[in-house]
Amino acid sequence: MTQSLGLILGALLALVLFVYTFWPENAFASQREKTRLDFLQERKEQLYENLRDLNFEFRAGKYPEEDFVAQRSQLENETAQLMAEIELLQQG
Amino acid sequence: MATFGSLALVLALALAAYNLFAGTIALRLLATGHPARISPERLADTARRAGIAGFYAVTAAAFALVWSVFTNDFSITYILEHSNRALPAAYKFAALWSGQEGSLLLWAWLLGTYGFVLRLMHKTDVKLYAYAGTILAGIQVFFLAVLNFAAPPFSLFRGAIPPDGNGLNPLLQYPEMVIHPPMLYLGYVGFSVPFAFALGALMMRYPGEKWIRITRSWTMVTWLFLTVGIFLGMHWAYAVLGWGGYWGWDPVENASFMPWLTGTAFLHSVMMQEKKGMMKSWNVWLIFSTFLLTMLGTLLTRAGLVSSVHAFAQSSIGSWFVTFMCIVAAVCIFTYVLQRSHLKTEHQLESLVSRESSFLFNNLVLLTACFVILWGTLFPILSEYVQGTKVTVGAPWYNKVAVPVGLFLLFLTGVGPLLPWRATSLRSIRRNFVIPVIALWAMVVVCLVAGVRPWTDGAFDAGNFYALVAFALAAGVLTAILSEFLRGAGVISRQTHRNILSATWLLTRRNTRRYGGYIVHIGVVVIVIGLAGAAFNRNQEQELALHDKLVIGPYSLEQVGATQDTNPNYDSDYALLDVYKNGKKLFQMAPEKRVYAASGQPQTMVAIHSLPTWDLYVVYEGTNPGTGQPIIKAFLNPLVSWIWAGLVIIVFGTLVALVPNLSSATAAPRVAARSTVPEPVLKGGD
């Protein structure tokens, strides 16, 4: 490949990429700010998953009954407080 | 093609710089809400598209270099120095990363590719992806600046152009070398992505831990590439260097191992953040360190700071890398100090015997190993700087620390999954640990009976002791993992009336991350068994006249002749050895010695007969100049094939973990909202 052909190809590439980058586009993506409510909903899903894991491990025989009850109670308590805050934010 | 390639690199640098500049301004405008003449969203989108366009420009440059190799364009200095006409096509590709300029171009191209995929997926979370894309652009600006100003791959040869090139380094002319460096680089470069997400999430005070879920697949894929790259390198060292081993604690091997250790720690501890909102600062620093260690690895490999059989390209780009690493460290520290209030933990460690603490110990052990290796790797540089003499540390120094640390890590691999979250009662420990402990002690008895004893002739034998501990722990950990599968499958089996195999399949599909992770742990156990075999390695070196025999273990190797071969790329000499066992001929081995035409350099090609029990590994060391007889060195290396089998299991396990879950496990939560909210239960998200 000659030097001039290389230059022409390089210039062509620059032109195409310039047009691609700056082509007027109105349909670009945007998103609303994530709120505390979104955050709490995500955490709720995670706490539900933790509860499901705990139940499954108990059924698999990994926890004695009293350990399971104590842990479940802690997780449920945490989830309940979180859901209360969610309800409060949804009402407000 | 040199002109086109050079232009493409300049263009790529301009686009990456625009991506960084416009992206930063757009994100600043979005964060402050200041009015501007152009909409920040539109500006951010042009920055994103500049990143995509930059990928095409780097691809064009990489294509130009590959084209030049295949068309034997020796007017380009890089092609002249790293290729020749007779080089087979696959190794012409390898020429792309055999030299410094080419490997930096590969770095930039892989980073461009990761960035391309990331920018195409930006709708997942537009703002977070914009931060990550801008940070990746910053890294890309550095690599493209080095390529344009310090190590240009398309610089032209001055003077009369030779008719043929100098050829590829013979050490690199081995099939694995076509895939090992790209795999390693995919791993190195890939850690830029979770780094960019973590730094971006911290900069924007990302509410919650969803960014971890978004980056999970990136991190696992990157980790997988790095793992495969490291093991392919081990196999290459085993099959090509002819010293009978696969890991020599070489500085460049260490450079790839250190980010693997911190990356593995991150993969584990990030689960704590996702599930419990704990260890947030720790995780941020783990991924920052991992990225900096990948940079250090590239610096060690490329800048010639340390002597290594792997440091194929050496030059003076070290100052560029050191400056960049300092800038990255400064940005990380500044961002952390500014935003550390965002990283407050949501839960405290409640007990030293819990799943959480096992993750913490796992992290501490991995980081200890990383620090020890970093110290050993940098010690020659530091000692030279302080004392004026280079003091190197050898394999025995590393082994003294790494072996016990590795065994403790194996212990945690077994213990962790058996421990419940939060706290563990004595009853729970008894319930979960009885069977693995029985398996562990049963293995101790089996080993002692089989002759694996920690003493030889009344003296303590550290190799045998560690092998015994490794086998015993392997049995315990394997039992623990299998019991996890069986217990879970038992629940599914009872619920759905499936047989245990079908239930195990469903169990794995329902929680691919956990059970894929367990499969990875099985692979680790298999690898440790293979590594422990090294305690029983044997070797024998002998000059063999025709029909002379070399005896090693149960094998007898008889020299039955020699042969030669030639092709345009190299000339070969083979020693022919018939292998007997119990007086019966089994097969013939032909270790080889090559001399490459272009470079005139010799190279050993080892003959390996691999079995699950051991490898018979034979090296043709050359001929005795006095007698003209071949000198043969044979090794009997037990359990080496288990290491490669373990890698296959790890790859399978990681692929399983990458598959989305089939559906959530059963057991619906039963939670009702409380009527009052004394104070927000969770920090963050504000």
Side-chain angles (χ1 to χ4, degrees), chain A residues 26 31 33-34 36 46 50 53 57 59 61-63 66-67 71-72 77 82 84, chain B residues 42 126-127 207 213 275 417 420-421 425 427 431 487 495 514 670 674 682 684:
Chain A
N26 292 317
Q31 72 183 92
E33 283 296 311
K34 199 170 167 184
R36 179 162 174 84
Q46 184 59 58
N50 292 353
D53 278 353
E57 292 198 331
R59 286 185 197 185
K62 276 181 78 172
Y63 289 92
E66 60 270 32
D67 288 10
Q71 296 229 17
R72 180 167 178 136
N77 197 28
L82 187 126
Chain B
R42 185 186 289 276
V126 177
K127 198 171 169 189
R213 197 164 287 192
K275 282 182 96 68
W421 293 101
S425 68
R427 259 186 83 190
R431 179 185 286 232
R487 284 176 181 199
Q495 282 174 343
R514 175 191 285 196
R670 49 174 185 91
R674 282 190 163 186
L682 286 172

mmCIF file of all heavy atoms in Angstrom, chain A residues 26 31 33-34 36 46 50 53 57 59 61-63 66-67 71-72 77 82 84, chain B residues 42 126-127 207 213 275 417 420-421 425 427 431 487 495 514 670 674 682 684:
data_model
loop_
_atom_site.group_PDB
_atom_site.id
_atom_site.type_symbol
_atom_site.label_atom_id
_atom_site.label_comp_id
_atom_site.label_asym_id
_atom_site.label_seq_id
_atom_site.Cartn_x
_atom_site.Cartn_y
_atom_site.Cartn_z
ATOM 1 N N ASN A 26 -31.479 12.863 18.261
ATOM 2 C CA ASN A 26 -32.401 13.377 19.272
ATOM 3 C C ASN A 26 -32.887 12.297 20.228
ATOM 4 O O ASN A 26 -33.424 12.597 21.282
ATOM 5 C CB ASN A 26 -33.598 14.044 18.592
ATOM 6 C CG ASN A 26 -33.167 15.301 17.871
ATOM 7 O OD1 ASN A 26 -32.377 16.082 18.399
ATOM 8 N ND2 ASN A 26 -33.629 15.474 16.645
ATOM 9 N N GLN A 31 -32.019 9.119 31.905
ATOM 10 C CA GLN A 31 -32.766 8.441 32.964
ATOM 11 C C GLN A 31 -33.031 9.411 34.105
ATOM 12 O O GLN A 31 -32.276 10.364 34.301
ATOM 13 C CB GLN A 31 -31.998 7.222 33.468
ATOM 14 C CG GLN A 31 -30.780 7.566 34.281
ATOM 15 C CD GLN A 31 -30.006 6.340 34.713
ATOM 16 O OE1 GLN A 31 -29.097 5.918 34.035
ATOM 17 N NE2 GLN A 31 -30.366 5.778 35.840
ATOM 18 N N GLU A 33 -33.252 10.548 38.067
ATOM 19 C CA GLU A 33 -32.380 10.301 39.217
ATOM 20 C C GLU A 33 -32.953 9.163 40.057
ATOM 21 O O GLU A 33 -34.164 9.070 40.251
ATOM 22 C CB GLU A 33 -32.284 11.564 40.075
ATOM 23 C CG GLU A 33 -31.361 12.626 39.508
ATOM 24 C CD GLU A 33 -29.904 12.180 39.430
ATOM 25 O OE1 GLU A 33 -29.373 11.670 40.426
ATOM 26 O OE2 GLU A 33 -29.300 12.345 38.348
ATOM 27 N N LYS A 34 -32.063 8.335 40.547
ATOM 28 C CA LYS A 34 -32.501 7.237 41.393
ATOM 29 C C LYS A 34 -32.855 7.791 42.778
ATOM 30 O O LYS A 34 -32.106 8.573 43.353
ATOM 31 C CB LYS A 34 -31.356 6.235 41.509
ATOM 32 C CG LYS A 34 -31.757 4.878 41.949
ATOM 33 C CD LYS A 34 -30.591 3.938 41.784
ATOM 34 C CE LYS A 34 -30.854 2.661 42.514
ATOM 35 N NZ LYS A 34 -29.700 1.766 42.443
ATOM 36 N N ARG A 36 -34.393 7.449 46.916
ATOM 37 C CA ARG A 36 -34.216 6.555 48.064
ATOM 38 C C ARG A 36 -35.227 5.402 48.001
ATOM 39 O O ARG A 36 -34.936 4.286 48.395
ATOM 40 C CB ARG A 36 -34.369 7.336 49.378
ATOM 41 C CG ARG A 36 -34.222 6.448 50.590
ATOM 42 C CD ARG A 36 -33.930 7.178 51.872
ATOM 43 N NE ARG A 36 -33.945 6.246 52.988
ATOM 44 C CZ ARG A 36 -32.925 5.480 53.372
ATOM 45 N NH1 ARG A 36 -31.784 5.553 52.720
ATOM 46 N NH2 ARG A 36 -33.023 4.654 54.384
ATOM 47 N N GLN A 46 -33.319 -7.802 47.961
ATOM 48 C CA GLN A 46 -32.152 -8.513 48.490
ATOM 49 C C GLN A 46 -32.487 -9.196 49.808
ATOM 50 O O GLN A 46 -32.103 -10.342 50.041
ATOM 51 C CB GLN A 46 -30.992 -7.527 48.677
ATOM 52 C CG GLN A 46 -29.682 -8.166 49.132
ATOM 53 C CD GLN A 46 -29.170 -9.207 48.169
ATOM 54 O OE1 GLN A 46 -28.933 -8.928 47.009
ATOM 55 N NE2 GLN A 46 -29.030 -10.455 48.641
ATOM 56 N N ASN A 50 -32.342 -13.070 50.826
ATOM 57 C CA ASN A 50 -31.654 -13.595 52.013
ATOM 58 C C ASN A 50 -32.585 -14.499 52.826
ATOM 59 O O ASN A 50 -32.178 -15.538 53.342
ATOM 60 C CB ASN A 50 -31.155 -12.447 52.897
ATOM 61 C CG ASN A 50 -30.036 -11.663 52.243
ATOM 62 O OD1 ASN A 50 -29.534 -12.039 51.179
ATOM 63 N ND2 ASN A 50 -29.646 -10.557 52.846
ATOM 64 N N ASP A 53 -32.962 -17.793 51.027
ATOM 65 C CA ASP A 53 -31.750 -18.602 51.239
ATOM 66 C C ASP A 53 -31.764 -19.247 52.618
ATOM 67 O O ASP A 53 -31.432 -20.424 52.767
ATOM 68 C CB ASP A 53 -30.496 -17.714 51.137
ATOM 69 C CG ASP A 53 -30.085 -17.482 49.694
ATOM 70 O OD1 ASP A 53 -30.689 -18.115 48.808
ATOM 71 O OD2 ASP A 53 -29.182 -16.652 49.454
ATOM 72 N N GLU A 57 -31.754 -23.190 53.378
ATOM 73 C CA GLU A 57 -30.660 -23.828 54.125
ATOM 74 C C GLU A 57 -31.201 -24.544 55.356
ATOM 75 O O GLU A 57 -30.673 -25.588 55.758
ATOM 76 C CB GLU A 57 -29.604 -22.790 54.504
ATOM 77 C CG GLU A 57 -28.863 -22.261 53.270
ATOM 78 C CD GLU A 57 -27.541 -21.587 53.597
ATOM 79 O OE1 GLU A 57 -27.420 -21.039 54.692
ATOM 80 O OE2 GLU A 57 -26.646 -21.607 52.727
ATOM 81 N N ARG A 59 -34.170 -25.966 55.539
ATOM 82 C CA ARG A 59 -34.780 -27.210 55.034
ATOM 83 C C ARG A 59 -33.704 -28.227 54.651
ATOM 84 O O ARG A 59 -33.916 -29.424 54.711
ATOM 85 C CB ARG A 59 -35.618 -26.924 53.801
ATOM 86 C CG ARG A 59 -36.911 -26.239 54.146
ATOM 87 C CD ARG A 59 -37.722 -26.098 52.904
ATOM 88 N NE ARG A 59 -38.772 -25.118 53.086
ATOM 89 C CZ ARG A 59 -39.681 -24.871 52.172
ATOM 90 N NH1 ARG A 59 -39.651 -25.498 51.018
ATOM 91 N NH2 ARG A 59 -40.606 -23.986 52.388
ATOM 92 N N GLY A 61 -31.141 -28.697 56.262
ATOM 93 C CA GLY A 61 -30.603 -29.257 57.497
ATOM 94 C C GLY A 61 -29.340 -28.577 57.986
ATOM 95 O O GLY A 61 -28.611 -29.139 58.805
ATOM 96 N N LYS A 62 -29.088 -27.364 57.526
ATOM 97 C CA LYS A 62 -27.852 -26.700 57.946
ATOM 98 C C LYS A 62 -27.994 -25.969 59.272
ATOM 99 O O LYS A 62 -27.010 -25.689 59.920
ATOM 100 C CB LYS A 62 -27.389 -25.706 56.867
ATOM 101 C CG LYS A 62 -26.583 -26.373 55.773
ATOM 102 C CD LYS A 62 -26.117 -25.410 54.730
ATOM 103 C CE LYS A 62 -24.930 -24.611 55.172
ATOM 104 N NZ LYS A 62 -24.380 -23.823 54.066
ATOM 105 N N TYR A 63 -29.240 -25.625 59.634
ATOM 106 C CA TYR A 63 -29.446 -24.862 60.869
ATOM 107 C C TYR A 63 -30.252 -25.677 61.867
ATOM 108 O O TYR A 63 -31.267 -26.281 61.495
ATOM 109 C CB TYR A 63 -30.278 -23.603 60.585
ATOM 110 C CG TYR A 63 -29.565 -22.523 59.815
ATOM 111 C CD1 TYR A 63 -29.641 -22.468 58.444
ATOM 112 C CD2 TYR A 63 -28.847 -21.545 60.492
ATOM 113 C CE1 TYR A 63 -29.004 -21.469 57.737
ATOM 114 C CE2 TYR A 63 -28.208 -20.542 59.799
ATOM 115 C CZ TYR A 63 -28.290 -20.500 58.421
ATOM 116 O OH TYR A 63 -27.664 -19.510 57.737
ATOM 117 N N GLU A 66 -33.519 -23.576 66.642
ATOM 118 C CA GLU A 66 -33.443 -22.302 67.397
ATOM 119 C C GLU A 66 -32.597 -21.260 66.652
ATOM 120 O O GLU A 66 -32.926 -20.073 66.661
ATOM 121 C CB GLU A 66 -32.941 -22.523 68.846
ATOM 122 C CG GLU A 66 -31.577 -23.141 68.980
ATOM 123 C CD GLU A 66 -31.626 -24.665 69.049
ATOM 124 O OE1 GLU A 66 -32.520 -25.294 68.431
ATOM 125 O OE2 GLU A 66 -30.753 -25.238 69.709
ATOM 126 N N ASP A 67 -31.524 -21.704 65.994
ATOM 127 C CA ASP A 67 -30.694 -20.763 65.206
ATOM 128 C C ASP A 67 -31.519 -20.177 64.071
ATOM 129 O O ASP A 67 -31.466 -18.973 63.788
ATOM 130 C CB ASP A 67 -29.478 -21.480 64.582
ATOM 131 C CG ASP A 67 -28.438 -21.847 65.617
ATOM 132 O OD1 ASP A 67 -28.743 -21.713 66.810
ATOM 133 O OD2 ASP A 67 -27.340 -22.280 65.230
ATOM 134 N N GLN A 71 -32.467 -16.233 63.491
ATOM 135 C CA GLN A 71 -31.990 -15.528 62.288
ATOM 136 C C GLN A 71 -33.148 -15.019 61.444
ATOM 137 O O GLN A 71 -33.121 -13.907 60.921
ATOM 138 C CB GLN A 71 -31.131 -16.474 61.441
ATOM 139 C CG GLN A 71 -29.883 -16.891 62.163
ATOM 140 C CD GLN A 71 -28.662 -16.711 61.286
ATOM 141 O OE1 GLN A 71 -28.698 -16.004 60.288
ATOM 142 N NE2 GLN A 71 -27.585 -17.356 61.652
ATOM 143 N N ARG A 72 -34.173 -15.854 61.356
ATOM 144 C CA ARG A 72 -35.328 -15.454 60.563
ATOM 145 C C ARG A 72 -36.002 -14.230 61.186
ATOM 146 O O ARG A 72 -36.400 -13.302 60.486
ATOM 147 C CB ARG A 72 -36.310 -16.630 60.457
ATOM 148 C CG ARG A 72 -37.522 -16.269 59.648
ATOM 149 C CD ARG A 72 -38.355 -17.467 59.269
ATOM 150 N NE ARG A 72 -39.510 -16.988 58.544
ATOM 151 C CZ ARG A 72 -39.984 -17.531 57.452
ATOM 152 N NH1 ARG A 72 -39.421 -18.581 56.953
ATOM 153 N NH2 ARG A 72 -41.030 -17.028 56.861
ATOM 154 N N ASN A 77 -37.473 -8.728 60.933
ATOM 155 C CA ASN A 77 -37.545 -7.444 61.624
ATOM 156 C C ASN A 77 -36.944 -6.335 60.732
ATOM 157 O O ASN A 77 -37.537 -5.261 60.561
ATOM 158 C CB ASN A 77 -36.760 -7.579 62.932
ATOM 159 C CG ASN A 77 -37.108 -6.477 63.900
ATOM 160 O OD1 ASN A 77 -38.217 -5.962 63.861
ATOM 161 N ND2 ASN A 77 -36.165 -6.094 64.722
ATOM 162 N N LEU A 82 -37.898 -1.803 56.903
ATOM 163 C CA LEU A 82 -37.642 -1.276 55.565
ATOM 164 C C LEU A 82 -38.956 -1.053 54.806
ATOM 165 O O LEU A 82 -39.157 -0.020 54.159
ATOM 166 C CB LEU A 82 -36.747 -2.281 54.821
ATOM 167 C CG LEU A 82 -36.234 -1.866 53.479
ATOM 168 C CD1 LEU A 82 -34.727 -1.997 53.455
ATOM 169 C CD2 LEU A 82 -36.802 -2.751 52.394
ATOM 170 N N ALA A 84 -41.826 -0.538 56.104
ATOM 171 C CA ALA A 84 -42.550 0.585 56.714
ATOM 172 C C ALA A 84 -42.056 1.898 56.120
ATOM 173 O O ALA A 84 -42.854 2.793 55.810
ATOM 174 C CB ALA A 84 -42.333 0.563 58.222
ATOM 175 N N ARG B 42 -26.945 15.306 25.658
ATOM 176 C CA ARG B 42 -26.475 15.232 24.267
ATOM 177 C C ARG B 42 -24.942 15.159 24.229
ATOM 178 O O ARG B 42 -24.351 14.379 23.491
ATOM 179 C CB ARG B 42 -26.955 16.448 23.473
ATOM 180 C CG ARG B 42 -26.606 16.382 21.982
ATOM 181 C CD ARG B 42 -26.988 17.668 21.289
ATOM 182 N NE ARG B 42 -28.437 17.827 21.160
ATOM 183 C CZ ARG B 42 -29.161 17.302 20.177
ATOM 184 N NH1 ARG B 42 -28.580 16.588 19.240
ATOM 185 N NH2 ARG B 42 -30.451 17.504 20.112
ATOM 186 N N VAL B 126 -27.941 4.536 32.463
ATOM 187 C CA VAL B 126 -27.273 5.519 31.601
ATOM 188 C C VAL B 126 -26.177 6.289 32.342
ATOM 189 O O VAL B 126 -25.042 6.412 31.861
ATOM 190 C CB VAL B 126 -28.300 6.505 31.005
ATOM 191 C CG1 VAL B 126 -27.614 7.566 30.164
ATOM 192 C CG2 VAL B 126 -29.327 5.760 30.166
ATOM 193 N N LYS B 127 -26.497 6.764 33.535
ATOM 194 C CA LYS B 127 -25.545 7.626 34.239
ATOM 195 C C LYS B 127 -24.328 6.834 34.719
ATOM 196 O O LYS B 127 -23.180 7.271 34.542
ATOM 197 C CB LYS B 127 -26.253 8.299 35.420
ATOM 198 C CG LYS B 127 -25.524 9.506 35.944
ATOM 199 C CD LYS B 127 -26.400 10.231 36.951
ATOM 200 C CE LYS B 127 -25.590 11.278 37.688
ATOM 201 N NZ LYS B 127 -26.356 11.843 38.802
ATOM 202 N N PRO B 207 -26.593 5.196 44.549
ATOM 203 C CA PRO B 207 -27.421 4.699 45.647
ATOM 204 C C PRO B 207 -27.594 3.180 45.560
ATOM 205 O O PRO B 207 -28.082 2.667 44.562
ATOM 206 C CB PRO B 207 -28.769 5.401 45.441
ATOM 207 C CG PRO B 207 -28.581 6.306 44.268
ATOM 208 C CD PRO B 207 -27.387 5.864 43.515
ATOM 209 N N ARG B 213 -24.246 -5.852 40.959
ATOM 210 C CA ARG B 213 -24.973 -6.835 40.147
ATOM 211 C C ARG B 213 -24.697 -6.602 38.661
ATOM 212 O O ARG B 213 -24.526 -7.537 37.901
ATOM 213 C CB ARG B 213 -26.467 -6.717 40.438
ATOM 214 C CG ARG B 213 -27.257 -7.901 39.992
ATOM 215 C CD ARG B 213 -28.613 -7.938 40.628
ATOM 216 N NE ARG B 213 -28.552 -8.316 42.036
ATOM 217 C CZ ARG B 213 -29.599 -8.644 42.759
ATOM 218 N NH1 ARG B 213 -30.779 -8.644 42.224
ATOM 219 N NH2 ARG B 213 -29.470 -8.980 44.015
ATOM 220 N N LYS B 275 -25.133 -8.710 49.654
ATOM 221 C CA LYS B 275 -26.137 -9.364 50.491
ATOM 222 C C LYS B 275 -26.381 -8.631 51.805
ATOM 223 O O LYS B 275 -27.496 -8.596 52.304
ATOM 224 C CB LYS B 275 -25.695 -10.807 50.801
ATOM 225 C CG LYS B 275 -25.927 -11.775 49.648
ATOM 226 C CD LYS B 275 -25.517 -13.170 50.020
ATOM 227 C CE LYS B 275 -26.658 -14.008 50.507
ATOM 228 N NZ LYS B 275 -27.642 -14.348 49.507
ATOM 229 N N PRO B 417 -18.580 -22.335 53.225
ATOM 230 C CA PRO B 417 -19.962 -22.642 52.838
ATOM 231 C C PRO B 417 -20.763 -23.361 53.914
ATOM 232 O O PRO B 417 -21.989 -23.334 53.896
ATOM 233 C CB PRO B 417 -19.791 -23.562 51.617
ATOM 234 C CG PRO B 417 -18.413 -23.299 51.127
ATOM 235 C CD PRO B 417 -17.602 -22.934 52.323
ATOM 236 N N PRO B 420 -23.156 -20.774 58.813
ATOM 237 C CA PRO B 420 -24.322 -19.920 58.548
ATOM 238 C C PRO B 420 -23.937 -18.446 58.605
ATOM 239 O O PRO B 420 -22.885 -18.098 59.141
ATOM 240 C CB PRO B 420 -25.278 -20.255 59.696
ATOM 241 C CG PRO B 420 -24.662 -21.356 60.454
ATOM 242 C CD PRO B 420 -23.217 -21.408 60.125
ATOM 243 N N TRP B 421 -24.822 -17.606 58.059
ATOM 244 C CA TRP B 421 -24.619 -16.165 58.153
ATOM 245 C C TRP B 421 -24.775 -15.714 59.603
ATOM 246 O O TRP B 421 -25.401 -16.387 60.406
ATOM 247 C CB TRP B 421 -25.627 -15.413 57.280
ATOM 248 C CG TRP B 421 -25.433 -15.627 55.804
ATOM 249 C CD1 TRP B 421 -26.148 -16.456 55.015
ATOM 250 C CD2 TRP B 421 -24.464 -15.001 54.950
ATOM 251 N NE1 TRP B 421 -25.689 -16.386 53.711
ATOM 252 C CE2 TRP B 421 -24.652 -15.496 53.651
ATOM 253 C CE3 TRP B 421 -23.442 -14.069 55.164
ATOM 254 C CZ2 TRP B 421 -23.878 -15.102 52.565
ATOM 255 C CZ3 TRP B 421 -22.668 -13.666 54.086
ATOM 256 C CH2 TRP B 421 -22.892 -14.189 52.804
ATOM 257 N N SER B 425 -23.905 -21.609 66.096
ATOM 258 C CA SER B 425 -23.959 -22.257 67.410
ATOM 259 C C SER B 425 -23.135 -23.539 67.354
ATOM 260 O O SER B 425 -22.822 -24.047 66.273
ATOM 261 C CB SER B 425 -25.407 -22.584 67.774
ATOM 262 O OG SER B 425 -25.891 -23.594 66.902
ATOM 263 N N ARG B 427 -24.066 -26.440 68.119
ATOM 264 C CA ARG B 427 -24.887 -27.524 67.516
ATOM 265 C C ARG B 427 -24.791 -27.476 66.000
ATOM 266 O O ARG B 427 -24.703 -28.494 65.325
ATOM 267 C CB ARG B 427 -26.358 -27.355 67.930
ATOM 268 C CG ARG B 427 -26.750 -28.298 69.056
ATOM 269 C CD ARG B 427 -28.222 -28.211 69.322
ATOM 270 N NE ARG B 427 -29.000 -29.044 68.417
ATOM 271 C CZ ARG B 427 -30.324 -29.006 68.322
ATOM 272 N NH1 ARG B 427 -30.998 -28.164 69.055
ATOM 273 N NH2 ARG B 427 -30.960 -29.804 67.488
ATOM 274 N N ARG B 431 -23.339 -30.332 63.529
ATOM 275 C CA ARG B 431 -24.221 -30.840 62.482
ATOM 276 C C ARG B 431 -23.553 -30.787 61.101
ATOM 277 O O ARG B 431 -23.656 -31.709 60.314
ATOM 278 C CB ARG B 431 -25.496 -30.001 62.471
ATOM 279 C CG ARG B 431 -26.506 -30.366 61.432
ATOM 280 C CD ARG B 431 -27.635 -29.368 61.487
ATOM 281 N NE ARG B 431 -28.476 -29.578 62.651
ATOM 282 C CZ ARG B 431 -29.801 -29.708 62.592
ATOM 283 N NH1 ARG B 431 -30.411 -29.644 61.448
ATOM 284 N NH2 ARG B 431 -30.510 -29.889 63.661
ATOM 285 N N ARG B 487 -27.416 -32.005 50.150
ATOM 286 C CA ARG B 487 -28.458 -31.474 51.042
ATOM 287 C C ARG B 487 -29.474 -30.646 50.250
ATOM 288 O O ARG B 487 -30.682 -30.800 50.422
ATOM 289 C CB ARG B 487 -27.838 -30.580 52.095
ATOM 290 C CG ARG B 487 -27.148 -31.318 53.191
ATOM 291 C CD ARG B 487 -26.499 -30.302 54.087
ATOM 292 N NE ARG B 487 -25.796 -30.917 55.168
ATOM 293 C CZ ARG B 487 -25.456 -30.266 56.271
ATOM 294 N NH1 ARG B 487 -25.786 -29.014 56.404
ATOM 295 N NH2 ARG B 487 -24.803 -30.856 57.221
ATOM 296 N N GLN B 495 -39.385 -31.981 47.462
ATOM 297 C CA GLN B 495 -40.456 -31.067 47.019
ATOM 298 C C GLN B 495 -41.040 -31.481 45.672
ATOM 299 O O GLN B 495 -42.228 -31.337 45.420
ATOM 300 C CB GLN B 495 -39.889 -29.642 46.870
ATOM 301 C CG GLN B 495 -39.721 -28.919 48.184
ATOM 302 C CD GLN B 495 -39.030 -27.573 47.984
ATOM 303 O OE1 GLN B 495 -38.414 -27.335 46.952
ATOM 304 N NE2 GLN B 495 -39.124 -26.718 48.974
ATOM 305 N N ARG B 514 -24.119 -19.600 43.282
ATOM 306 C CA ARG B 514 -23.613 -20.338 44.426
ATOM 307 C C ARG B 514 -23.046 -21.706 43.998
ATOM 308 O O ARG B 514 -21.911 -22.049 44.324
ATOM 309 C CB ARG B 514 -24.714 -20.561 45.463
ATOM 310 C CG ARG B 514 -24.211 -21.440 46.602
ATOM 311 C CD ARG B 514 -25.308 -21.909 47.504
ATOM 312 N NE ARG B 514 -25.770 -20.833 48.361
ATOM 313 C CZ ARG B 514 -26.505 -21.039 49.460
ATOM 314 N NH1 ARG B 514 -26.866 -22.255 49.782
ATOM 315 N NH2 ARG B 514 -26.896 -20.035 50.200
ATOM 316 N N ARG B 670 -42.552 -14.079 54.730
ATOM 317 C CA ARG B 670 -43.804 -13.693 55.391
ATOM 318 C C ARG B 670 -43.498 -12.471 56.263
ATOM 319 O O ARG B 670 -43.236 -12.579 57.441
ATOM 320 C CB ARG B 670 -44.349 -14.849 56.240
ATOM 321 C CG ARG B 670 -43.283 -15.467 57.141
ATOM 322 C CD ARG B 670 -43.856 -16.514 58.073
ATOM 323 N NE ARG B 670 -42.823 -16.976 58.966
ATOM 324 C CZ ARG B 670 -42.565 -16.448 60.152
ATOM 325 N NH1 ARG B 670 -43.277 -15.454 60.582
ATOM 326 N NH2 ARG B 670 -41.598 -16.901 60.912
ATOM 327 N N ARG B 674 -43.989 -2.656 59.432
ATOM 328 C CA ARG B 674 -44.249 -2.126 60.776
ATOM 329 C C ARG B 674 -45.028 -0.823 60.667
ATOM 330 O O ARG B 674 -44.931 -0.115 59.669
ATOM 331 C CB ARG B 674 -42.929 -1.846 61.465
ATOM 332 C CG ARG B 674 -42.293 -3.098 61.993
ATOM 333 C CD ARG B 674 -41.143 -2.703 62.855
ATOM 334 N NE ARG B 674 -40.765 -3.824 63.689
ATOM 335 C CZ ARG B 674 -39.844 -3.728 64.627
ATOM 336 N NH1 ARG B 674 -39.241 -2.586 64.838
ATOM 337 N NH2 ARG B 674 -39.522 -4.772 65.357
ATOM 338 N N LEU B 682 -31.841 1.678 56.811
ATOM 339 C CA LEU B 682 -30.660 1.544 55.950
ATOM 340 C C LEU B 682 -30.060 2.904 55.655
ATOM 341 O O LEU B 682 -30.775 3.853 55.400
ATOM 342 C CB LEU B 682 -31.049 0.891 54.625
ATOM 343 C CG LEU B 682 -31.331 -0.588 54.681
ATOM 344 C CD1 LEU B 682 -31.889 -1.027 53.363
ATOM 345 C CD2 LEU B 682 -30.083 -1.373 55.010
ATOM 346 N N GLY B 684 -27.666 5.232 53.201
ATOM 347 C CA GLY B 684 -27.429 5.289 51.751
ATOM 348 C C GLY B 684 -28.700 5.545 50.987
ATOM 349 O O GLY B 684 -29.799 5.624 51.542
#
